[in-house]
């Protein structure tokens, strides 16, 4: 076979979303909108500084994964790798602190990260997320968790939420020191990565997947034992709210989340029945989030407590498919128009248009001439009715309505066909 020309190949890590895939996307979008949050869309690219300042210069995202480029004017821009920072920027720029607080927003759209392409991970991927800005109470995080649960439930996915607190500016540095001291005295027993992390990235040791580090990790002092009074209170209240929700959760002392801007509460949603030993956590989590009380201030706004969560839509859909969760297309046609002969074909465009105008989902196969292939296609599509416009019907201004379930047929005046089908679909 001839090698495909470069122009028709896709760059690694991106994908087409074909028509037959769309029903999954429709479903995810329909369950995730209209949950009392207002939609926001921000540009695909922003100044690089936005992410350097917020996500953190030492993070994997900024260090290795950003698609950055210089414009002809010399500006350094990046394709957005995540959406919390852009939403926080928009909150500041548009003076949303003057609106009733908290401001509840949601978004959905493509993000870009230069990662090694692997199953379920793309360089252009889509995220859905919510952000609640201007809310200090832990009820905010609890509500976000509840909302994501509701979504997973609507998609028939069973999840478990893991939660933790990673403290604040006051108590986290103290805990980091304690953790460093603990790891330093065991540096010979841990992997090279963990040894390296002992500096500024010490919390990341809790993420380590190396076999030899697991025992050490389990003996490490948990952060919840070292929270300041304010953080401990916040976490306690948060747990009380979550208990009220009556959903499966566990405290995971090792949950830290990779981004710099998180403070206090962090959480992740995991499929309820996964083998965590086998799968690396980064690959199995279906979503996550947390509180980010410093982000708005960090970007130049006034101090604004906030929290949010996000999920990757490609991964979610991959999980749905893998778990055989079937989704019916909402736009599945209900009616199939069959035309036979030249006179009928000429009339059929107008009939088709009448159904579109009346918002009844209809399809056809104008390329086919005889009845059998058209009927079998109608059958395959699972439509409720096939309309048969033959030569005789076309001359007499009538049309046959065939009930695909029972196989019964009746002839009606062409001018009544929309009305008749409507009646049938309703009943
Ligand atoms: Zn604290
Ligand atoms: Zn390690």
């Amino acid at each position: 076979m001839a090698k495909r020309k470069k122009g028709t190949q896709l760059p690694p890590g991106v994908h087409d979303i074909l028509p037959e895939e769309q029903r999954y996307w429709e479903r995810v979008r329909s369950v995730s909108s209209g949950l009392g949050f207002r939609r926001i869309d921000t540009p695909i690219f922003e100044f690089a500084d936005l992410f350097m300042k917020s996500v953190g210069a030492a993070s994997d995202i900024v260090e290795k994964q950003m698609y950055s480029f210089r414009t002809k004017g010399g500006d350094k821009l990046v394709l957005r790798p995540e959406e919390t920072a852009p939403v926080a920027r928009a909150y500041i720029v548009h003076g949303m602190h003057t609106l009733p607080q908290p401001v509840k927003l949601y978004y959905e759209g493509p993000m870009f990260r230069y990662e090694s392409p692997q199953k379920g991970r793309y360089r252009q991927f889509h995220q859905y997320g919510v952000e609640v800005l201007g809310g200090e109470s832990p009820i905010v995080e609890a509500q976000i968790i509840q909302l994501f649960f509701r979504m997973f439930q609507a998609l028939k996915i069973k999840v478990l939420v893991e939660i933790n607190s990673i403290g604040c500016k006051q108590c986290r540095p103290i805990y980091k020191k304690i953790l460093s001291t603990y790891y330093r005295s065991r540096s010979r027993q841990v992997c090279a990565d963990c040894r390296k992390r002992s500096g500024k990235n010490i919390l990341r040791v809790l993420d380590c997947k190396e076999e030899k580090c697991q025992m050490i990790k389990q003996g490490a002092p948990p952060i919840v034992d070292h929270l300041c009074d304010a953080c401990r209170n916040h976490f306690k209240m948060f747990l009380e709210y979550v208990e009220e929700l009556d959903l499966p959760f566990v405290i995971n002392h090792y949950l830290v989340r990779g981004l710099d801007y998180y403070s206090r509460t962090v959480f992740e949603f995991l499929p309820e029945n996964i083998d965590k030993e086998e799968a690396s956590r980064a690959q199995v989590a279906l979503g996550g989030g947390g509180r980010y009380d410093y982000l708005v201030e960090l970007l130049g706004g006034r101090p604004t407590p906030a929290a949010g969560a996000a999920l990757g839509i490609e991964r979610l859909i991959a999980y749905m498919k893998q778990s055989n969760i079937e989704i019916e297309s909402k736009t599945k046609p209900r009616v199939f128009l069959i035309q036979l002969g030249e006179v009928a074909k000429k009339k059929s465009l107008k009939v088709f248009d009448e159904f579109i105008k009346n918002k009844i989902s209809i399809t056809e196969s104008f390329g086919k001439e005889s009845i059998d292939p058209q009927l079998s296609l109608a059958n395959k599509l699972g439509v409720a009715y096939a309309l048969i416009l033959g030569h005789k019907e076309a001359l007499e201004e009538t049309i046959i309505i065939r009930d695909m379930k029972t196989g019964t047929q009746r002839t009606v005046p062409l001018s009544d066909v929309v009305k008749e089908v409507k009646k049938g679909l309703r009943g």
Side-chain angles (χ1 to χ4, degrees):
M1 209 162 70
K3 211 175 160 198
R4 259 191 268 174
K5 291 210 186 86
K6 200 136 202 178
T8 59
Q9 275 176 346
L10 275 177
V14 298
H15 66 121
D16 297 315
I17 306 168
L18 297 171
E20 53 269 30
E21 292 274 291
Q22 296 290 345
R23 63 182 193 277
Y24 290 97
W25 291 79
E26 281 164 19
R27 175 57 73 82
V28 172
R29 285 178 180 133
S30 79
V31 302
S32 61
S33 59
L35 291 161
F37 286 55
R38 299 173 73 206
R39 178 163 179 136
I40 184 166
D41 287 286
T42 68
I44 298 289
F45 53 81
E46 301 256 3
F47 285 122
D49 269 356
L50 174 67
F51 301 103
M52 313 273 270
K53 269 196 201 160
S54 56
V55 179
S59 65
D60 276 359
I61 290 185
V62 170
E63 265 188 352
K64 305 178 219 161
Q65 300 175 339
M66 289 207 303
Y67 279 91
S68 49
F69 57 99
R70 267 193 201 283
T71 62
K72 282 179 186 158
D75 288 333
K76 193 172 180 203
L77 304 179
V78 296
L79 300 182
R80 59 184 187 189
E82 61 99 57
E83 188 59 4
T84 301
V87 170
R89 178 203 47 72
Y91 178 89
I92 299 167
V93 172
H94 301 286
M96 291 189 209
H97 64 275
T98 59
L99 301 174
Q101 305 291 301
V103 175
K104 297 178 179 179
L105 303 168
Y106 81 93
Y107 60 84
E108 190 257 302
M111 309 291 154
F112 305 84
R113 288 185 203 172
Y114 192 84
E115 302 201 66
S116 52
Q118 44 180 290
K119 209 177 161 227
R121 188 172 281 208
Y122 295 100
R123 290 178 175 176
Q124 176 181 331
F125 61 102
H126 294 74
Q127 265 190 348
Y128 164 82
V130 301
E131 311 293 353
V132 180
L133 298 116
E136 197 172 9
S137 162
I139 199 170
V140 168
E141 295 100 293
Q143 192 194 11
I144 292 172
I145 288 175
Q146 181 184 37
L147 191 140
F148 268 60
F149 251 89
R150 197 63 65 237
M151 265 175 49
F152 287 123
Q153 213 169 41
L155 295 170
K156 302 194 180 83
I157 299 173
K158 287 198 172 124
V159 294
L160 166 80
V161 62
E162 293 193 344
I163 56 188
N164 195 19
S165 173
I166 54 168
C168 67
K169 271 181 192 160
Q170 270 72 47
C171 55
R172 192 166 13 171
I174 301 170
Y175 173 70
K176 279 183 171 177
K177 267 191 200 142
I178 294 169
L179 193 61
S180 281
T181 308
Y182 172 86
Y183 266 81
R184 213 177 303 128
S185 63
R186 289 160 182 82
S187 67
R188 287 208 199 138
Q189 299 157 55
V190 296
C191 71
D193 273 347
C194 281
R195 262 198 301 277
K196 253 188 278 168
R197 285 167 184 147
S198 299
K200 57 182 175 179
N201 248 334
I202 182 69
L203 283 183
R204 298 283 304 279
V205 298
L206 300 178
D207 256 346
C208 186
K209 301 290 176 312
E210 286 290 325
E211 177 90 49
K212 64 196 281 193
C213 301
Q214 299 313 304
M215 282 295 283
I216 306 289
K217 208 165 95 172
Q218 276 156 35
I223 189 165
V224 288
D225 290 352
H226 298 275
L227 297 175
C228 66
D229 286 348
C231 286
R232 192 176 320 116
N233 266 333
H234 188 96
F235 195 51
K236 209 178 129 237
M237 275 168 67
F238 168 67
L239 288 177
E240 284 169 15
Y241 284 122
V242 173
E243 267 162 23
E244 283 295 313
L245 295 179
D246 196 25
L247 40 84
F249 75 93
V250 288
I251 298 175
N252 174 355
H253 296 304
Y254 310 127
L255 182 62
V256 286
R257 308 263 312 154
L259 308 185
D260 267 11
Y261 53 62
Y262 284 112
S263 56
R264 291 188 171 166
T265 319
V266 290
F267 51 86
E268 272 185 0
F269 300 93
L270 303 178
E272 215 177 41
N273 39 20
I274 46 145
D275 187 351
K276 267 192 271 178
E277 300 302 314
E278 249 177 48
S280 114
R281 135 170 248 107
Q283 279 168 290
V284 296
L286 288 176
R291 182 160 275 285
Y292 50 90
D293 288 346
Y294 308 125
L295 179 59
V296 174
E297 196 180 357
L298 204 67
L299 295 175
R302 55 186 72 199
T304 308
L311 59 80
I313 301 180
E314 276 87 350
R315 182 178 301 174
L316 187 70
I317 290 176
Y319 180 78
M320 286 161 73
K321 287 182 181 170
Q322 182 196 320
S323 319
N324 299 314
I325 296 170
E326 250 319 306
I327 299 292
E328 290 242 319
S329 175
K330 251 188 6 190
T331 52
K332 196 174 117 174
R334 310 293 311 276
V335 180
F336 191 101
L337 176 59
I338 294 170
Q339 39 69 38
L340 304 162
E342 213 34 56
V343 185
K345 193 173 262 195
K346 270 185 196 143
K347 282 221 158 98
S348 56
L349 273 180
K350 200 164 165 254
V351 177
F352 192 81
D353 191 48
E354 282 300 313
F355 278 84
I356 301 284
K357 267 199 288 196
N358 282 278
K359 297 194 168 59
I360 299 170
S361 169
I362 184 170
T363 189
E364 44 64 37
S365 179
F366 290 151
K368 292 194 165 71
E369 305 297 337
S370 53
I371 187 153
D372 284 351
Q374 296 189 63
L375 251 184
S376 85
L377 189 56
N379 229 334
K380 220 165 110 191
L381 291 171
V383 297
Y385 296 103
L387 309 175
I388 304 166
L389 190 59
H391 183 74
K392 176 167 163 275
E393 289 79 21
L395 292 177
E396 289 173 355
E397 292 282 323
T398 60
I399 192 165
I400 298 167
I401 301 178
R402 181 187 173 93
D403 185 322
M404 294 299 283
K405 227 187 238 158
T406 61
T408 52
Q409 299 190 166
R410 64 202 169 93
T411 304
V412 300
L414 202 47
S415 53
D416 290 348
V417 65
V418 170
K419 198 176 73 192
E420 289 297 320
V421 168
K422 245 186 200 169
K423 226 192 286 170
L425 288 176
R426 235 181 292 132

